């Protein structure tokens, strides 16, 4: 089946069919092979892209900038304080200005409705680099990483478990991509931090069509048992108040990914994390949390993070190849 995503925006994975997601995964793998072989792939020579970040970033920004350069494009970065967006100029006006100058626009920010509005007015493809609700480019990198471990298409019928703050942008998106690709998904955490009921319902409908399951549980043993992938993310996301740390530590500590939890997963299970991660005291926030609450490791222990099952840096590298695939597929 031939797939074309030319001219499309990439706002959330619910908008894409399993075949379209498959196409993006295969293109990511192809671009990765080309990069590794130093084979030139400047397919978008002379194009320009805008990278609008209303929240900070290491991986996503670098993946878009390096990816744009690899594809022969020029990227302009607008940082959280440097643009007029939302403060002096509406999203709709910004979209129409940027759409006149650029061939594509990446946006990282707050509510999903902001990136949707940007796309509605820009007249060029808009790519979601993370919103409060979703982080779709992360998912392509994640499934690519899983398939490097378990084979192309090898995740179907396997179980992926998100431990902890399952209703955040990464937990939500992981549930969507698993449903789309026929992967059994388990959200394991306290009831307070689960994905919204409406999204769970939508994913269950998709999963019914792809032959997979969506499970929500507060039971760590049920969540970990038999999982091929144990995934977690930080307990307080960007844009959330630092005052939430105490409450989140209370709610989420039972879901910390440690060796004992990993031992309950499948024998060949891997550990994944979108990063950044609080697995030690080597960050300002990590140290502050330690001073206040006495916890040196949060969502994952250093042992698991640095251990043989961890694939977190493969996953980080794959952000580059998958973001290139999104830009190429939508701009070519
Ligand atoms: N995983 C991820 O999106 O990382 P950044 O916040 O560094 O972009
Ligand atoms: N849930 C995290 C993901 C960071 C990539 C956040 O939104 O801060």
């Amino acid at each position: 089946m031939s797939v074309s995503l030319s001219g499309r925006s990439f706002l959330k994975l619910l908008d894409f069919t399993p075949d379209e997601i498959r196409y993006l995964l295969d293109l990511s793998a192809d671009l990765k092979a080309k990069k590794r072989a130093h084979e030139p792939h400047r397919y978008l020579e002379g194009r320009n892209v805008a990278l609008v970040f209303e929240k900070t970033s290491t991986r996503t920004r670098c993946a878009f900038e390096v990816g744009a350069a690899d594809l022969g494009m020029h990227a302009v970065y607008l940082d959280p304080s440097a643009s007029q967006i939302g403060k002096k100029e509406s999203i709709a006006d910004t979209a129409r200005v940027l759409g006149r100058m650029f061939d594509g626009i990446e946006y990282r920010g707050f509510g999903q409705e902001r990136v949707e509005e940007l796309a509605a007015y820009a007249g060029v493809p808009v790519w979601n680099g993370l919103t409060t609700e979703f982080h779709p480019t992360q998912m392509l990198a994640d499934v690519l990483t899983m398939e490097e471990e378990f084979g192309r298409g090898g995740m179907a019928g396997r179980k992926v478990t998100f431990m902890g703050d399952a209703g955040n942008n990464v937990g939500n998106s992981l549930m969507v991509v698993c449903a789309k690709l026929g992967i059994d998904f388990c959200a394991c955490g306290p009831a307070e931090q689960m994905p919204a009921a409406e999204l769970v319902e939508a994913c269950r409908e998709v999963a019914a069509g792809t032959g997979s399951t969506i499970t929500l549980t507060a039971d760590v043993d049920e969540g970990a048992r038999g999982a091929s992938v144990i995934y977690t993310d930080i307990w307080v996301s960007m844009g959330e108040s630092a005052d939430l740390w105490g409450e989140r530590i209370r709610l989420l500590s039972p879901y910390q990914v440690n060796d004992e939890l990993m031992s309950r997963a499948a024998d060949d299970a891997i550990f994944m994390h979108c990063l950044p991660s609080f697995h030690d005291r080597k960050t300002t926030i990590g140290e502050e949390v330690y001073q206040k609450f006495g916890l040196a490791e949060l969502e994952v222990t250093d042992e698991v993070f640095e251990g043989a099952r961890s694939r977190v840096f493969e996953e980080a590298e794959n952000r580059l190849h998958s973001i290139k695939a999104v830009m190429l597929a939508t701009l070519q």
Side-chain angles (χ1 to χ4, degrees), residues 22-34 144 148 321-322 325:
R22 182 73 260 160
Y23 170 82
L24 287 168
L25 289 168
D26 289 344
L27 187 56
S28 306
D30 182 52
L31 289 168
K32 181 170 185 173
K34 284 193 166 65
L144 182 63
E148 286 171 349
H321 311 300
S322 48

Side-chain angles (χ1 to χ4, degrees), residues 142-157:
D142 292 347
V143 178
L144 182 63
T145 309
M146 293 176 202
E147 292 198 337
E148 286 171 349
E149 193 71 28
F150 299 110
R152 180 183 178 276
M155 287 306 296

Side-chain angles (χ1 to χ4, degrees), residues 55 59-60 108 130-132 135 138 165 168-170 233-234 236-239 274-276 319:
K55 290 174 177 169
R59 277 146 291 273
T60 309
R108 165 173 286 197
L130 179 147
T131 57
T132 302
H135 195 6
Q138 178 74 49
D165 189 16
N168 77 11
N169 39 21
V170 174
D233 186 13
I234 53 170
V236 176
S237 285
M238 288 183 280
C274 57
L275 307 184
R319 300 297 310 287

